[in-house]
Amino acid sequence: MDVLFLNRILPTDFILVVWDSDASDVDESELSEDEVLNLRHNFAINLKDVIYMLQKYTSYIAIGGPVILGEGESCPHRLKKLETIEYYKAVTQNITLSNGIDYMDLRKAFLSAIPNTWQSCEGLLTSDGEHPNEKGTQLEASILAEQINKWFKFKDRSISPIHR
């Protein structure tokens, strides 16, 4: 997390965040139970810290992620088991929603666009099986555009979609 960058954000109408932390990319099977607990704790704390800082600059925030799609059997760099990926997604969603922030389910959008994620990582991903290619980036952009449109619906109202 680049705290210097966050300290330089000017007040803005909305902020969209694709949350992906190094913690969500770690293969937890190679860690001790204490290391996993510490990693997961830090993931949640870092997200909460980012939300706290961003709320100083805007009344509308939407957060999505982590996407992590490299769990497919045929992907060259299998990252981790599906349960671990879903854990980090659930933590992100719970923290986001509990702070009155909209959650963008980017992973769900990708999984619905990939016919069988356990068999193939082609189509929306680069050859590493994890990062979006041009088509995948277009899918992410369409989801972000939906959030911007949602914000525009509330822009001229006296109430914000965020209730604090």
Side-chain angles (χ1 to χ4, degrees):
M1 172 176 49
D2 189 347
V3 176
L4 293 175
F5 171 74
L6 289 174
N7 288 333
R8 293 183 180 145
I9 294 176
L10 298 175
T12 186
D13 292 329
F14 62 86
I15 297 174
L16 302 178
V17 177
V18 177
W19 178 250
D20 187 14
S21 164
D22 289 342
S24 61
D25 288 340
V26 172
D27 182 355
E28 291 183 354
S29 67
E30 298 176 4
L31 302 176
S32 71
E33 185 176 332
D34 286 342
E35 289 172 320
V36 169
L37 291 173
N38 188 47
L39 186 72
R40 290 180 173 196
H41 173 77
N42 288 336
F43 178 89
I45 294 300
N46 289 338
L47 178 57
K48 290 175 184 178
D49 288 346
V50 167
I51 289 170
Y52 174 77
M53 286 187 269
L54 292 178
Q55 286 177 326
K56 295 177 184 179
Y57 300 102
T58 189
S59 64
Y60 184 77
I61 303 168
I63 295 178
V67 179
I68 305 177
L69 297 163
E71 75 271 14
E73 293 288 343
S74 68
C75 293
H77 300 288
R78 275 187 80 188
L79 296 174
K80 59 179 64 82
K81 294 181 180 179
L82 181 61
E83 300 84 34
T84 305
I85 297 167
E86 290 298 327
Y87 169 82
Y88 284 105
K89 176 190 159 191
V91 168
T92 303
Q93 184 175 18
N94 290 337
I95 290 172
T96 299
L97 295 175
S98 69
N99 281 277
I101 294 171
D102 284 345
Y103 178 75
M104 301 175 289
D105 197 338
L106 300 170
R107 182 170 165 73
K108 181 179 178 182
F110 269 89
L111 292 177
S112 67
I114 298 173
N116 185 346
T117 187
W118 285 100
Q119 299 299 319
S120 173
C121 60
E122 297 174 5
L124 297 175
L125 306 175
T126 60
S127 61
D128 71 1
E130 177 185 357
H131 297 95
N133 60 18
E134 183 178 346
K135 189 175 178 182
T137 301
Q138 289 172 353
L139 177 60
E140 282 183 319
S142 70
I143 295 166
L144 297 176
E146 286 177 29
Q147 285 302 133
I148 292 169
N149 288 331
K150 184 176 182 178
W151 171 79
F152 274 116
K153 290 179 184 176
F154 291 99
K155 181 179 175 225
D156 296 325
R157 297 183 184 177
S158 60
I159 60 166
S160 168
I162 306 301
H163 304 287
R164 295 187 199 177

